Structure formats: C-alpha cells, structure tokens
Amino acid sequence: MPVKNIAEPTGDGIERRRAVVVGIGHFVDGQPLPFSASDAHKVDEVLRARGFEVTLLHDGPGGARRRTITAAKVLDAVRGAVAASDEDDLVLVYLACHGVRVADRPFLTMADTPAGEATWRDGHLTRGLRLADLFAALRGRTRWVSVFLDVCAMGLGIDAELGASMQHVEDRAGGFALLSGSRADGKSYDSDDGAVFTRYLVDGLAGAAIEPDGSVRFSRL
C-alpha cells in the first residue's frame, strides 16, 4: 500500500518571489489585443514593487518581435523560474492573450498559433499552449504557485491533467492558486484603457487587497 510522504519540505530559509509575466497582443491571424502588452507592464511594475524577480515577455514597444512569443518560449521562462526556486519560494505566472477550448480543454493562443476560422483547432493542437502543459511546467521544488489568466475560456473544465499540478504542491504542504478572468464558456473583457480583470488585479496587489500584515490573500483579492 503506497504511503503519502507528508514530511515537511525544507528550503534555504529565504522566501524569494519569482514571476513570469506574458502579454501577447499580436497573432498570426487572430484579432489583436490592444492592451495585453501595456497590462503586462502594469503587472510587472506592481510585482517588482512587492519584491518579485520578474521575467517579462511582451510584444509591445521595446519588447519581442511580433509573432515570436511561442509556447516553447513561455514554457522555458516558467521552467527557469521553477528551477531557480526551492521549497520556501513563490512562483507566479500571469498571462494576457487569447484562449480557446479544444475538445473541452483550455488552450492559450500564442503569437504563432494559426487561429483562422479553418485552422484554429489544429493550430492550437500543434502551436498553442495547453493550460495543462503550463501547469506541468510549474511542478518543481517550490510549494507555492499562483496563476493569473486574463484570457477567455479559461475555466478548468474536464481536463484531469490540470489537477495533477495542484495536487503536486498540496502534497508538498504548499498551495496552488488560480485566478481567471473568465469561465470555461466566458470572455475576459476590456474597458477603454485596459483589461477589466487586470485592472482589478493590479489594484488589489498595489494595496486594495492587502491585509494588515502586508500579505495578499486570494480570498480577499
């Protein structure tokens, strides 16, 4: 009979915070998202103010060339943050891009994902970023993982592989928290100056959701 390992993991005693922030506004044949890059900058700024080491990927002014932010590039950045972290640390991921569901499983649209009317299904299977693969890249020594998705159609649905990453950190006496701007069948909306979800996320991290001890809890955020 297998026995669950419930021993308390140990790190180096220093609580570090690392984040990967991604904003994709330009796509092969999908509708542009005018605020993704600027929203990513806002998240980057508020996280740095809270002591995070941030890897920022965006295709706005001064960022990556258009259509070069691929699934491989995002996963490499996430795996790098996880590899640099130990049990004491927190890894956070924020993404602003398009999202769809293929066979009721959530996929993120990357800058090079063919997403035209006739190609979107196969395009996401070959060059999209499956949410389960993003979650899998977050498995490592770190016990604390937070994911923010300003993306359409990002309810968890029936993809059982998504639960494996959540269970991974729980088994290490940690926590996996996901906050999404949409349900499985829903949209993530923009206002006149940016995405609604990201605006409230930034406001919360900047002060509106901060507890008296300086922490930000998901329940309050």
Side-chain angles (χ1 to χ4, degrees), residues 128-202:
L129 175 53
R130 197 170 59 131
L131 187 60
D133 291 336
L134 174 66
F135 280 20
L138 286 163
R139 298 177 202 162
R141 293 177 63 195
T142 180
R143 291 183 289 153
W144 310 104
V145 175
S146 297
V147 180
F148 298 96
L149 301 173
D150 199 343
V151 184
C152 296
M154 281 297 113
L156 297 186
I158 63 169
D159 196 338
E161 292 182 56
L162 294 172
S165 295
M166 299 178 186
Q167 187 64 45
H168 171 77
V169 292
E170 181 181 329
D171 287 346
R172 300 177 67 82
F176 189 112
L178 168 69
L179 193 59
S180 172
S182 64
R183 298 188 301 270
D185 59 349
K187 300 288 187 181
S188 187
Y189 291 98
D190 289 342
S191 63
D192 291 335
D193 60 352
V196 176
F197 173 83
T198 296
R199 184 178 74 207
Y200 284 103
L201 171 63
V202 169

Side-chain angles (χ1 to χ4, degrees), residues 11-61:
D12 61 7
I14 302 174
E15 297 179 2
R16 297 179 176 86
R17 301 174 180 181
R18 294 182 175 87
V20 176
V21 174
V22 181
I24 305 175
H26 303 278
F27 304 87
V28 172
D29 49 8
Q31 182 180 359
L33 292 175
F35 301 118
S36 290
S38 59
D39 281 344
H41 273 290
K42 294 173 186 176
V43 174
D44 169 65
E45 183 177 355
V46 73
L47 289 177
R48 290 183 189 275
R50 293 192 60 82
F52 279 79
E53 301 172 22
V54 182
T55 299
L56 175 62
L57 300 174
H58 71 88
D59 57 2

